[in-house]
Amino acid sequence: MRGGGLWQLGQSITRRLAQADKKAVGRRCFASEAEQKKTVLYDFHVANGGKMVPFAGWSMPIQYKDSIMESTVNCRQNGSLFDVSHMCGLSLKGKDCVPFLEKLVIADVAALAPGTGTLTVFTNEKGGAIDDSVITKVTDDHIYIVVNAGCRDKDLAHIEAHMKSFKAKGGDVSWNIHDERSLLALQGPLAAPVLQHLTKEDLSKVYFGEFRITDINGARCFITRTGYTGEDGFEISVPSENAVDLAKAILEKSEGKVRLTGLGARDSLRLEAGLCLYGNDMEQHTTPVEAGLNWAIGKRRKAEGGFLGAEVILKQLAEGPKVRLVGFTSTGPPPRSHSEIQDEKGTTIGEITSGGFSPCLKKNIAMGYVKSGSHKTGTKAKLLVRGKAYDGVVTKKPFVPTKYYKPS
């Protein structure tokens, strides 16, 4: 796909990202440039050819001088550096921060060893997803959380309301929102060797999902070995006054192989890795079970519940959900969000939530919800694109194998 095709791909991804979680973001996604928030790296993005677009109230780079296709492939072959400072980092502290958080999320937070984390979901009373988040137990009385930019306002309001109630009953918990810090995501096979040049921390001993507070390029940083691409990598929370220098140092140490990468390739990468985008693949009416996140519900939580919506979720675990999120590959033009899914007889069985052309696999990939019974790998389907039906097949996720750094 070249020229106009790439432009259309970029535009469609821009629209899809801008549409994510309209209920939370509202008109802020489409506000004028003057109303958009800017990360401390904004001028750095523009100077490096970043094409800035509105996203969740922020002006963010959709791509740089290279195409979204090229950026996606380079991340998997070499590495990418993303500015994700629009996301919200916060810390919960106090001797009761773990039992407090366990009232709001599906994870077994108590079982996490200090310095480790997990993906989790904040649920509502009906078992629906308020947001997905990466949480880390820094110590038994300190939890570090990163929430999505488009969900920031509702997430913080939700946490604050429950915190007031919890504290009123004598609970010891407080919070700090890290607006003084920026967040960079370094992803790809060169992530660890490049970052190792900038820190004395032995990164070979930091495994997937683990957290450290350490000096990087002379600044005190929080690093988590995680990401949103399926590749090995790190999310680095850095004091905002040091963010530009750190970005420059990472690019310099990579000798040009790690490239600045925008939201367009980030979306392609996460789709190839079979990872959900909140607002597309998960929403307030979607449960973690329907989204295929059973593994994120701690064993103890499955037995005891104790989180919002537990009754609904535990019932789905026992009986099975009515709909399930599955992967697809297909012929014809790429399916997009809201493309109808039909069985071979032409009966509607679901809807696509994310879809596009995979730069790495060179074929169409998508995710969508289908009725249970139509979710098994290999099931044939018809995907409607602009009113015309094209052949599709339920395909196991991830589409591209993940390369997380785990103990051998």
Side-chain angles (χ1 to χ4, degrees):
M1 196 181 294
R2 299 172 182 268
L6 273 176
W7 171 248
Q8 289 165 3
L9 175 65
Q11 291 302 294
S12 68
I13 291 174
T14 303
R15 286 195 297 272
R16 188 157 83 251
L17 286 166
Q19 287 167 356
D21 198 20
K22 286 181 183 176
K23 292 178 183 176
V25 177
R27 291 175 184 160
R28 291 184 298 118
C29 270
F30 306 100
S32 68
E33 180 67 22
E35 294 171 341
Q36 301 297 315
K37 298 175 191 172
K38 296 176 180 177
T39 75
V40 296
L41 288 144
Y42 176 87
D43 291 338
F44 184 66
H45 296 314
V46 173
N48 282 276
K51 296 178 181 178
M52 311 305 287
V53 300
F55 175 63
W58 294 79
S59 182
M60 299 298 293
I62 185 75
Q63 67 184 95
Y64 294 83
K65 294 173 184 176
D66 48 358
S67 71
I68 290 170
M69 300 271 280
E70 291 165 340
S71 292
T72 303
V73 172
N74 185 69
C75 180
R76 302 218 186 278
Q77 291 181 345
N78 296 299
S80 288
L81 182 65
F82 303 89
D83 176 13
V84 288
S85 304
H86 59 310
M87 299 179 73
C88 177
L90 64 138
S91 289
L92 297 177
K93 292 188 176 182
K95 67 179 178 62
D96 297 321
C97 67
V98 170
F100 167 70
L101 185 59
E102 285 199 341
K103 292 180 179 294
L104 306 183
V105 301
I106 60 176
D108 187 347
V109 187
L112 290 173
T116 67
T118 185
L119 177 75
T120 194
V121 178
F122 284 85
T123 50
N124 57 34
E125 288 80 359
K126 295 181 179 179
I130 293 174
D131 196 7
D132 60 334
S133 171
V134 173
I135 61 169
T136 301
K137 182 192 278 186
V138 183
T139 63
D140 287 330
D141 57 3
H142 179 190
I143 306 293
Y144 174 62
I145 305 171
V146 177
V147 300
N148 286 309
C151 300
R152 174 187 169 123
D153 292 347
K154 69 172 182 179
D155 287 358
L156 296 185
H158 175 72
I159 294 168
E160 185 174 31
H162 284 274
M163 189 183 298
K164 284 182 179 178
S165 174
F166 187 81
K167 292 174 77 170
K169 296 174 184 176
D172 177 27
V173 62
S174 61
W175 67 348
N176 176 40
I177 300 163
H178 294 296
D179 286 338
E180 79 287 357
R181 304 184 76 86
S182 296
L183 193 63
L184 301 177
L186 176 58
Q187 300 284 292
L190 294 182
V194 167
L195 195 63
Q196 190 65 77
H197 286 300
L198 301 174
T199 182
K200 294 179 180 177
E201 185 82 32
D202 185 353
L203 299 179
S204 70
K205 295 178 181 176
V206 181
Y207 296 104
F208 178 69
E210 293 187 349
F211 174 94
R212 298 286 191 277
I213 298 177
T214 189
D215 288 345
I216 299 178
N217 199 45
R220 199 68 172 164
C221 295
F222 308 159
I223 62 166
T224 311
R225 197 150 194 166
T226 188
Y228 193 47
T229 63
E231 296 295 316
D232 181 27
F234 301 85
E235 289 188 353
I236 309 162
S237 173
V238 56
S240 289
E241 62 268 25
N242 304 115
V244 173
D245 285 344
L246 178 56
K248 289 178 178 178
I250 288 170
L251 298 175
E252 182 183 322
K253 290 297 182 183
S254 80
E255 298 178 341
K257 291 181 179 179
V258 171
R259 299 180 196 166
L260 287 170
T261 308
L263 294 178
R266 188 169 166 83
D267 193 49
S268 296
L269 288 157
R270 69 91 194 168
L271 182 56
E272 290 181 339
L275 300 173
C276 292
L277 172 65
Y278 190 87
N280 278 42
D281 312 299
M282 265 200 299
E283 297 190 68
Q284 302 244 25
H285 61 269
T286 312
T287 72
V289 181
E290 293 165 347
L293 296 176
N294 297 18
W295 60 268
I297 308 171
K299 185 177 180 181
R300 177 175 60 84
R301 311 311 305 277
K302 290 176 181 176
E304 299 176 2
F307 51 87
L308 293 176
E311 186 177 339
V312 174
I313 290 171
L314 298 187
K315 184 179 180 182
Q316 286 188 343
L317 286 172
E319 300 176 2
K322 293 180 179 178
V323 297
R324 299 172 189 260
L325 183 66
V326 298
F328 285 96
T329 52
S330 67
T331 61
R336 301 296 185 190
S337 180
H338 303 302
S339 293
E340 187 178 323
I341 305 168
Q342 298 179 346
D343 63 17
E344 291 188 286
K345 297 178 180 178
T347 303
T348 300
I349 57 171
E351 183 178 275
I352 294 297
T353 52
S354 289
F357 183 79
S358 164
C360 295
L361 299 176
K362 303 293 188 285
K363 62 182 179 183
N364 299 337
I365 57 173
M367 298 195 296
Y369 285 89
V370 297
K371 294 177 181 177
S372 287
S374 300
H375 67 281
K376 294 180 180 177
T377 299
T379 301
K380 294 180 180 179
K382 298 289 184 181
L383 308 186
L384 269 61
V385 183
R386 294 188 288 275
K388 187 175 179 181
Y390 295 92
D391 291 335
V393 61
V394 176
T395 305
K396 189 176 180 180
K397 307 189 303 287
F399 302 100
V400 173
T402 57
K403 299 173 186 172
Y404 303 130
Y405 180 71
K406 298 181 179 181
S408 54

